[in-house]
Amino acid sequence: MTQEKGPGAAQKGSTLTRQGSIRRTSLLDAAEAVLVAQGSDASLRAIAGEAGVRVGHLQHYFPTRADLIKAVLERALERSLERLAETTGLRVVRDDPSALESPAGPADPGEVVAVVLAEQEDPQLVRLYVEVWALAARDEEIAAVVREFYRKYVAHVEAFVQQGRPDWSGGFCRARAETFVALIEGAALMRSGIAGSRSAAMDAQLAHFAVQLLRD
């Protein structure tokens, strides 16, 4: 049997790639919906049912629940980076995925903080993170996925801090980045109402100290 070659084969391969991407997206959408609704009961079977596919089909793309949650978190981070790019011009450096660049000039830390805090206005997104944290507390495999997610998150913040303050040491920039992420992630619980109540005064102080961590 001869292999199909030429433009027709390339077009067929492209179509299959697009179809695979669409299927993968629908599976991630289903995973997010089930995680938010069911939390620790979010099994592969439940997610496959939400997506309207067999478990085997889901596992073709994501063999384990940890693989699926890793993809969910990676997509969430990608969306955050896209929003940053749209608002502030910050973009991931192609040759160094952990670094950020601002072709139009230094990005305003206040704008960066505003974008990050605006994501907490989405209760579904906050609930998604809360449920993933809860799963990670009981499942070491998922905990490893969550740690890797935050390693990348901190690396992006560190790159931004270093860009704005090249006079600071790498270790100091990293400490600032880690503190920034801890502050923002903890604030999500308070600002969403899960662990406390939100106020305009708290929001103002939060933004003030978050900006200071990035640049002052």
Side-chain angles (χ1 to χ4, degrees), residues 23 28 30 36 76 104 137 148 150 153 160 162 175:
R23 289 169 184 159
L28 291 177
V36 168
E148 176 62 15
Y150 281 107
Y153 185 176
F160 177 72
Q162 187 74 70

Side-chain angles (χ1 to χ4, degrees), residues 97-128:
S98 67
L100 298 174
E101 62 182 355
S102 183
D108 180 358
E111 290 184 350
V112 172
V113 170
V115 171
V116 172
L117 292 180
E119 293 191 336
Q120 297 177 359
E121 305 294 334
D122 181 354
Q124 293 293 97
L125 181 60
V126 174
R127 178 66 183 272
L128 174 65

Side-chain angles (χ1 to χ4, degrees), residues 165-182:
R165 292 301 303 262
D167 55 313
W168 286 353
S169 70
F172 188 68
C173 287
R174 182 166 186 80
R176 284 288 182 119
E178 290 171 336
T179 306
F180 176 87
V181 171

Side-chain angles (χ1 to χ4, degrees), residues 30-60:
E32 287 189 7
V34 174
L35 281 166
V36 168
Q38 300 183 21
S40 61
D41 294 326
S43 64
L44 289 179
R45 186 173 299 279
I47 293 168
E50 175 71 19
V53 301
R54 297 188 302 275
V55 174
H57 178 85
L58 174 62
Q59 290 183 303
H60 172 74

Side-chain angles (χ1 to χ4, degrees), residues 22-99:
I22 291 170
R23 289 169 184 159
R24 191 175 187 276
T25 296
S26 68
L27 294 174
L28 291 177
D29 289 342
E32 287 189 7
V34 174
L35 281 166
V36 168
Q38 300 183 21
S40 61
D41 294 326
S43 64
L44 289 179
R45 186 173 299 279
I47 293 168
E50 175 71 19
V53 301
R54 297 188 302 275
V55 174
H57 178 85
L58 174 62
Q59 290 183 303
H60 172 74
Y61 290 89
F62 310 104
T64 69
R65 188 166 65 165
D67 292 325
L68 184 55
I69 290 177
K70 178 181 180 181
V72 166
L73 290 175
E74 286 177 345
R75 186 171 71 159
L77 183 57
E78 288 171 2
R79 287 173 171 173
S80 296
L81 292 171
E82 288 170 1
R83 283 188 281 270
L84 275 174
E86 292 170 0
T87 304
T88 70
L90 276 174
R91 300 183 185 279
V92 175
V93 177
R94 179 172 299 180
D95 297 331
D96 184 0
S98 67

